[in-house]
Amino acid sequence: MRLNAYLARAGIASRRGAEELIRAGRVTVNGEVAGLATFVEGKDRVEVDGAEVGPEPLTYVLLHKPAGVVTTARDPHGRPTVVGLVGHERRVVPVGRLDADTTGVLLLTNDGALAHRLMHPRYEVDKVYEVVVEGEPDDDDLTRLAEGVELDDGKTAPALVRRLEPSLLELTLHEGRKHQVKRMLAAVGHPVTRLHRSSYAGLGTDGLGPGEWRELSAEEVAALRAPGAP
Ligand code: URA
């Protein structure tokens, strides 16, 4: 992989920060000062300012995202971010997005391969949302949501829909399009007033208050990785 990506992966700096280190001549590969075009493999010895850089251990964080925090590493408007909130020593990034006003389960990791897989619609990761809406959706509305709603980027895939209270629904989706739940509910005439993701890939917020996080256990990571899971 490219040297800047390797350094970012090792948690030394962002890719851009790593480029600056390389340009400044502070990075060597097998004892030679490296350039921006240098590629490295596992057997290469990479050093920054003379200190060896090893691969960063893989890390998996489950955050109970509170409202008012954006799901990016940096926000141009200076709003607080989930990455800043977690403040992990390793360079974890969010797996997918939740809107700033959405609460609930969000995974963050530095395992790019697993993150990519979890976000791919082919793997059909279950995402369960509790949705408070305006008005009281009737049975026809629930059927439309379950069978698929026509949105401007195409019809939504079949979903599981349950009415928990007259204005509170539970939706289980496999897709993860932008603002999908809000757009689906707006399409059936019941705009969302509150959105909470109660579960992602079978992981819930149990024991975590808003803003709290924990590392996944080895068993939980293995379950996410298992073929065909979750
Ligand atoms: N759907 C939305 O509309 N917003 C979210 O944050 C997640 C799913």
Side-chain angles (χ1 to χ4, degrees):
M1 83 175 75
R2 274 174 75 108
L3 182 55
N4 66 330
Y6 181 91
L7 292 172
R9 179 81 182 74
I12 300 297
S14 64
R15 284 187 187 206
R16 197 170 309 152
E19 280 177 14
E20 279 162 25
L21 291 172
I22 298 165
R23 266 201 208 95
R26 293 168 58 186
V27 185
T28 59
V29 175
N30 304 324
E32 304 275 331
V33 174
L36 288 175
T38 304
F39 274 74
V40 287
E41 299 172 27
K43 63 179 172 37
D44 292 318
R45 183 182 172 88
V46 179
E47 292 173 330
V48 176
D49 297 333
E52 187 172 8
V53 174
E56 187 177 60
L58 294 175
T59 300
Y60 308 86
V61 165
L62 192 165
L63 169 69
H64 182 167
K65 179 190 171 299
V69 178
V70 294
T71 310
T72 48
R74 217 176 288 161
D75 181 53
H77 307 293
R79 290 173 297 180
T81 69
V82 290
V83 171
L85 173 67
V86 168
H88 204 282
E89 55 178 350
R90 300 192 191 130
R91 301 185 63 79
V92 292
V93 293
V95 179
R97 296 249 165 137
L98 288 178
D99 296 335
D101 57 355
T102 301
T103 58
V105 179
L106 183 70
L107 292 186
L108 296 95
T109 183
N110 57 3
D111 182 345
L114 186 66
H116 180 75
R117 200 184 132 175
L118 291 173
M119 285 191 283
H120 201 291
R122 178 150 55 101
Y123 293 101
E124 304 213 329
V125 171
D126 271 353
K127 303 171 188 98
V128 185
Y129 295 93
E130 289 170 9
V131 195
V132 181
V133 298
E134 285 180 21
E136 299 185 1
D138 61 20
D139 290 350
D140 283 349
D141 296 326
L142 267 57
T143 304
R144 283 183 66 199
L145 291 166
E147 291 181 349
V149 180
E150 203 58 61
L151 300 179
D152 53 15
D153 54 357
K155 193 173 175 186
T156 59
L160 286 176
V161 184
R162 290 202 301 150
R163 189 189 287 114
L164 304 180
E165 290 173 20
S167 298
L168 173 62
L169 306 181
E170 183 188 79
L171 258 67
T172 304
L173 306 184
H174 299 315
E175 298 176 295
R177 300 193 219 164
K178 206 166 182 194
H179 307 312
Q180 181 163 348
V181 176
K182 290 178 184 167
R183 290 192 291 140
M184 288 173 73
L185 270 299
V188 298
H190 294 280
V192 171
T193 55
R194 168 143 174 55
L195 185 55
H196 176 77
R197 183 154 73 186
S198 54
S199 167
Y200 180 93
L203 297 162
T205 52
D206 313 356
L208 295 175
E212 292 180 342
W213 60 272
R214 66 175 177 84
E215 310 256 353
L216 294 189
S217 68
E219 290 75 27
E220 288 170 328
V221 175
L224 289 179
R225 286 230 181 92

